[in-house]
Amino acid sequence: MRLAWDYISVGFFAVLTLALCVVAGAYVNSPGIEITIYCALLSLGISALLLRRNLKRLHSRMDRKTTRFLEERQRLHAQQQALLKLASTESRYAGNITPAIQELVETAAGTLDVERVAYWVLTEPQTLECRDLFERSLCAHSQGLSVSANSHPLLFQSLHKNRVIVIHDIENSGFAAEMADIRSIGVAALILAPVHVHGHLHGLICLSHAGGPRRWTYDEQHFAGSIADMASLIIQGSEQRRTKQELELKSLAIEAAVDGMAILDEQQRFTYLNRAHAQVYGYDHPSELIGKSWRILYDERELARFDMELMPKFLRAGQLRIEAIGKKKDGSLFPQEISLTALPSGGLICVCQDVTETKKLQRELLQSQKMEAIGQLAGGIAHDFNNLLTGILGCTGLLRMTQERNPDVLQAVDTIESAAQRASQLTTKLLGFARKGKHQNVPVDIHATIEETLLLLRRTIEKNIVIVQRLKANSPYILGDPTQLQQIVLNLAINSRDAMSPDIAGHDGGELTIETRIVDGSDGLRLDPEREIGQFLELSVSDTGCGIPPEDRERIFEPFYTTKPPGRGTGMGLAMVYGIVKNHDGIIQVESKVGKGTSFRLYFPCLDAESVTSLSRPPIEPLTGCGHILVVDDHNIVRAITTKMLRSLGYRVVTAKDGIEAVEYYRENGHEIDLLILDMVMPRMGARDCFRCLKEINPNVLAILSTGYVNNNHVQEIMNEGMAGFIQKPYQLSQLSQVVAEVLRRSAPRNVNEHGDCGQLRQST
């Protein structure tokens, strides 16, 4: 304003000077012209003075404007350099948001010369949380503060509406009440720049000026907005890098997956598949299938199933999990599981797995479970049958003693006893299959067993069958039951003979080979991963007969399954072999080719020759004795016949039908009882619990365990409780007398003197 007035004054005096000059020129000869000229000169001088002063002022003002312009330009240059530095910094591209944000707030603080710069994140729709606060004077970062919309409503409203929020003087602004807390620490002016990510408010950048109000320039406001944009780019870049890394990891996981994974387009052609998917179908590389239709991977029969049944289901549901038969590159077929998922683009995702091994394991498991179930059934039948045979054989023994002078009766007894013995052999086979029939556990010479068996076979085997022996085992001893091991060799040899018989297998003669050898597990042969490495005796029975078809191979060990003509086979031979081998802790393997022959290989743990001792025993003869015996059995026939047999031998006998009844009787009359015979399996209370209760009454109680199941693990566990003896059903009079006499010898009957001295135990005549 003052400069304008000076210019007006200069103009006025210039005009006055001009006017005086005009007047002087007009009245040059007039009196007073000198005064006029003097006034004109004076006016001109004043005008010159004023003009000079105005020129100085103008120059000074131009200097100030130039200085401000240069300062602003320098400030803008610094801001541009700061933004360029932030745009090219490594921390922005490192993927870790924390160091990038820290560098951002430090740069902003230094560029705008402010005390504090903070980065706030909208953690909830109504809460802001400070993730990084940089204090320039301390050169330190902190975090943890938070504000809510309830305490700062105007702030939250403004963040959603403005590019930047500029507060030159907090105390005299509309935010004074909401920001009393930051005013108390000296903050007087603020710039708040909202940070938006993908079009949504993510947080804000807050620049705080301390000390007094500050007039924020337009370039400073623009710089604050640019800092907020840079923060948004950092956040988005971090998310993109994280997404890219996740995609790369997922891609690596898909490539490393054992299951085949593929993506097909709307034309049902492969656009992507991992290596496993290609290998499932026998292809070396995924590129061999890219661009090709999935239909080349199935035969016509399976394609018809897909078209008529499976694909309509998939189109309706959008996903499908099925089992199918795939076709490999070489044309071979294999079972597979497929999972299909529809894509919005019209394509689909396919996950495929070869389940050949799974199906094999399932069949083996089902076969094992079926064999176990049949074994339990067979064992139960044999157990019940043994109880009946105990009564039959017991009665024949008593009849033989009482009818010694009646030949007709003795002949009938012999017939009954012979039939019962054959029935007992059948139960032995059933128990052998059920793995519950290991009668003895003694050293057995396999070579001697083979020789004895072949001695029987040579009398009945056809002349066109050549028997070859290759007995190479230098120590042919194993621990087991001699009779059952002989049954193994006999049954396998008979099967081989039948496989080379023209009327059964249509195969006229051949070669039957029986071999033995020692297999050393330390040489790398592991027959079972759970077994310890050691030596095994391998017994091999091979033939050159008709062989076993693959469809029959899985069932050959099932009881009553046979491929022989009616009347030529019971189906129990191989079932018995399987059970006996397993019961002897052995392994059985089968190899067979149709038209070429079959080979059965049996493996048993070896027994050192040094541990082999002769366990020959004298013939068993009935022994009489005396004492009071309690017979405990739930089977009426067994109780009755056992009572009669014991009484015929000189013993006094009482009976109980189960464990509870036995315990109650023994609690009242235990002082009279010398020995108990306990059946293993009984209703209400079995032998184990009964024996434990008896020991609570009398720790020195004597008991013999009796069962239709033979010395298996469960029997041994009960024997380990302290049983004095064991007798296997069906038993005869002589066997019962020997077991009872042996147990009573260890402890003289307590009641002999009370009921009369029976003298020494003596053999019955």
Side-chain angles (χ1 to χ4, degrees):
M1 192 68 174
R2 176 189 247 178
L3 188 60
W5 177 253
D6 288 343
Y7 280 122
I8 292 172
S9 300
V10 172
F12 171 75
F13 283 105
V15 172
L16 179 60
T17 302
L18 182 61
L20 290 173
C21 288
V22 172
V23 171
Y27 301 97
V28 66
N29 296 320
S30 300
I33 187 64
E34 295 86 355
I35 296 172
T36 302
I37 293 172
Y38 176 78
C39 290
L41 292 173
L42 180 62
S43 176
L44 180 61
I46 293 171
S47 178
L49 289 173
L50 291 173
L51 180 60
R52 182 181 179 185
R53 188 178 70 177
N54 286 343
L55 287 174
K56 287 183 178 180
R57 289 180 177 175
L58 180 60
H59 185 268
S60 177
R61 171 172 265 186
M62 290 299 294
D63 286 344
R64 287 196 300 271
K65 284 187 175 181
T66 300
T67 300
R68 284 199 300 270
F69 173 75
L70 292 175
E71 289 176 351
E72 289 177 1
R73 185 174 179 180
Q74 185 177 4
R75 190 167 58 248
L76 286 173
H77 180 72
Q79 294 172 6
Q80 291 173 356
Q81 291 299 315
L83 292 175
L84 287 174
K85 177 185 176 183
L86 291 173
S88 60
T89 183
E90 293 183 1
S91 61
R92 178 188 168 192
Y93 302 98
N96 189 348
I97 191 174
T98 301
I101 290 295
Q102 288 182 348
E103 185 174 0
L104 180 78
V105 296
E106 289 177 9
T107 302
T111 303
L112 294 188
D113 191 22
V114 295
E115 172 58 24
R116 297 180 181 88
V117 179
Y119 166 64
W120 296 74
V121 174
L122 190 66
T123 56
E124 296 178 10
Q126 303 296 323
T127 303
L128 282 168
E129 181 180 313
C130 181
R131 292 293 176 82
D132 191 279
L133 171 62
F134 175 67
E135 297 182 76
R136 190 178 173 198
S137 60
L138 301 176
C139 194
H141 293 268
S142 60
Q143 60 180 5
L145 301 175
S146 64
V147 296
S148 66
N150 294 332
S151 59
H152 297 73
L154 183 59
L155 171 63
F156 276 78
Q157 292 175 12
S158 302
L159 289 174
H160 289 280
K161 297 178 180 179
N162 298 279
R163 161 72 170 161
V164 291
I165 303 169
V166 181
I167 306 174
H168 303 288
D169 185 0
I170 296 176
E171 189 172 357
N172 296 314
S173 69
F175 295 95
E178 293 185 7
M179 299 185 178
D181 51 347
I182 63 173
R183 286 165 52 204
S184 64
I185 60 174
V187 177
L190 290 174
I191 294 183
L192 305 174
V195 178
H196 291 85
V197 177
H198 305 305
H200 299 283
L201 181 65
H202 174 80
L204 63 90
I205 298 293
C206 175
L207 299 99
S208 307
H209 177 73
R214 174 172 174 172
R215 196 76 184 175
W216 301 102
T217 63
Y218 174 77
D219 60 277
E220 291 174 335
Q221 299 174 32
H222 181 73
F223 178 77
S226 299
I227 289 293
D229 293 340
M230 190 66 67
S232 177
L233 292 175
I234 291 172
I235 296 164
Q236 293 181 64
S238 176
E239 291 179 353
Q240 291 173 358
R241 281 186 292 275
R242 186 166 58 249
T243 302
K244 182 180 179 181
Q245 290 173 354
E246 290 176 356
L247 290 175
E248 290 175 350
L249 289 175
K250 289 178 181 178
S251 177
L252 289 174
I254 291 173
E255 285 298 324
V258 295
D259 291 343
M261 300 183 186
I263 300 176
L264 292 83
D265 60 16
E266 62 276 7
Q267 302 298 324
Q268 298 184 353
R269 294 172 300 190
F270 289 104
T271 60
Y272 168 81
L273 64 157
N274 63 355
R275 185 175 294 274
H277 196 97
Q279 291 175 347
V280 163
Y281 292 95
Y283 292 85
D284 297 327
H285 197 272
S287 59
E288 297 182 65
L289 290 172
I290 294 294
K292 296 181 180 180
S293 172
W294 62 269
R295 301 179 71 85
I296 67 172
L297 304 178
Y298 298 92
D299 61 8
E300 294 182 359
R301 180 177 179 181
E302 201 68 7
L303 287 174
R305 178 169 170 251
F306 269 100
D307 294 338
M308 300 298 295
E309 176 187 351
L310 302 180
M311 292 310 290
K313 289 182 180 180
F314 170 67
L315 294 175
R316 287 193 302 269
Q319 58 182 7
L320 187 66
R321 186 179 181 89
I322 57 171
E323 290 187 359
I325 303 298
K327 183 177 70 173
K328 292 183 179 289
K329 184 179 180 179
D330 60 4
S332 60
L333 303 179
F334 68 98
Q336 60 177 187
E337 282 188 0
I338 302 175
S339 176
L340 304 177
T341 303
L343 294 174
S345 62
L348 59 90
I349 296 175
C350 174
V351 179
C352 174
Q353 182 183 25
D354 186 341
V355 294
T356 302
E357 289 300 319
T358 303
K359 292 290 185 183
K360 180 181 177 182
L361 291 175
Q362 287 177 349
R363 289 194 299 269
E364 291 177 355
L365 176 61
L366 290 174
Q367 178 72 4
S368 175
Q369 291 174 339
K370 180 170 63 174
M371 297 292 285
E372 185 69 22
I374 296 174
Q376 291 178 358
L377 175 63
I381 293 173
H383 173 267
D384 292 340
F385 203 50
N386 275 339
N387 283 329
L388 298 175
L389 291 176
T390 299
I392 295 172
L393 291 174
C395 287
T396 58
L398 293 174
L399 284 172
R400 191 179 298 279
M401 290 179 63
T402 58
Q403 302 293 328
E404 292 180 354
R405 299 179 181 180
N406 192 333
D408 293 335
V409 173
L410 289 178
Q411 185 178 4
V413 167
D414 290 339
T415 303
I416 295 171
E417 196 171 68
S418 176
Q421 291 291 353
R422 288 196 298 271
S424 178
Q425 293 174 2
L426 177 59
T427 61
T428 300
K429 293 181 179 181
L430 287 172
L431 286 169
F433 169 73
R435 308 185 198 179
K436 298 174 180 176
K438 193 175 180 182
H439 293 265
Q440 300 181 59
N441 202 32
V442 298
V444 179
D445 184 346
I446 289 295
H447 288 175
T449 300
I450 293 172
E451 293 290 352
E452 292 174 5
T453 305
L454 292 181
L455 187 62
L456 297 174
L457 277 175
R458 286 192 175 95
R459 300 172 184 172
T460 57
I461 201 167
E462 289 80 355
K463 300 298 182 183
N464 57 356
I465 296 177
V466 178
I467 300 177
V468 178
Q469 292 178 244
R470 298 192 182 100
L471 308 182
K472 302 177 181 178
N474 53 12
S475 178
Y477 292 96
I478 65 172
L479 203 60
D481 186 299
T483 302
Q484 291 191 352
L485 291 172
Q486 186 179 42
Q487 288 175 340
I488 288 176
V489 179
L490 184 62
N491 276 278
L492 291 177
I494 290 174
N495 269 7
S496 295
R497 180 202 66 185
D498 292 344
M500 295 181 286
S501 172
D503 56 339
I504 294 180
H507 207 278
D508 191 9
E511 187 175 282
L512 168 60
T513 304
I514 300 179
E515 299 179 81
T516 63
R517 65 175 182 139
I518 300 299
V519 178
D520 192 350
S522 62
D523 292 337
L525 176 62
R526 296 301 304 274
L527 303 174
D528 188 336
E530 296 182 358
R531 290 178 180 269
E532 295 182 0
I533 296 177
Q535 287 192 327
F536 298 87
L537 187 145
E538 178 188 298
L539 168 62
S540 173
V541 180
S542 306
D543 62 68
T544 58
C546 59
I548 305 172
E551 60 270 18
D552 293 331
R553 203 170 301 163
E554 295 181 354
R555 302 189 61 190
I556 59 175
F557 295 119
E558 293 181 15
F560 310 112
Y561 179 79
T562 181
T563 57
K564 297 176 183 178
R568 299 301 300 270
T570 63
M572 283 299 298
L574 289 179
M576 181 201 68
V577 169
Y578 178 87
I580 292 176
V581 170
K582 293 298 181 182
N583 199 39
H584 282 72
D585 198 25
I587 296 173
I588 184 168
Q589 296 177 349
V590 184
E591 294 180 4
S592 183
K593 290 184 179 180
V594 176
K596 298 294 184 179
T598 302
S599 177
F600 287 87
R601 289 186 173 85
L602 284 58
Y603 299 89
F604 301 96
C606 285
L607 184 65
D608 294 337
E610 300 171 355
S611 353
V612 178
T613 56
S614 175
L615 298 178
S616 58
R617 294 182 179 179
I620 298 175
E621 296 292 341
L623 295 175
T624 59
C626 62
H628 201 169
I629 300 176
L630 173 57
V631 177
V632 187
D633 200 301
D634 63 308
H635 202 281
N636 294 334
I637 294 177
V638 174
R639 286 201 312 273
I641 195 62
T642 303
T643 298
K644 289 182 179 180
M645 286 192 290
L646 289 172
R647 286 176 177 169
S648 71
L649 295 171
Y651 299 100
R652 291 182 298 114
V653 183
V654 291
T655 64
K657 62 183 178 182
D658 57 45
I660 292 178
E661 187 175 310
V663 172
E664 293 175 352
Y665 183 88
Y666 194 81
R667 183 173 287 110
E668 297 294 330
N669 306 284
H671 60 284
E672 300 177 358
I673 301 300
D674 298 302
L675 178 67
L676 293 94
I677 300 177
L678 300 176
D679 185 29
M680 186 174 75
V681 181
M682 295 179 288
R684 298 207 297 170
M685 181 183 287
R688 182 197 291 267
D689 293 334
C690 177
F691 187 61
R692 288 175 178 176
C693 293
L694 294 172
K695 287 198 297 182
E696 291 179 1
I697 300 172
N698 177 14
N700 299 318
V701 62
L702 293 178
I704 294 172
L705 181 65
S706 173
T707 181
Y709 297 116
V710 194
N711 222 343
N712 56 20
N713 291 336
H714 186 53
V715 172
Q716 191 60 47
E717 289 174 1
I718 300 177
M719 293 297 296
N720 293 340
E721 297 272 345
M723 286 283 184
F726 173 80
I727 187 167
Q728 163 69 36
K729 296 178 182 178
Y731 46 78
Q732 295 177 305
L733 180 64
S734 58
Q735 295 170 320
L736 179 62
S737 70
Q738 289 287 336
V739 173
V740 171
E742 183 179 351
V743 171
L744 289 177
R745 276 197 190 98
R746 301 172 193 163
S747 177
R750 291 169 296 176
N751 298 314
V752 170
N753 293 332
E754 298 177 11
H755 302 283
D757 186 3
C758 65
Q760 296 293 324
L761 294 175
R762 60 189 182 278
Q763 288 191 352
S764 172
T765 57

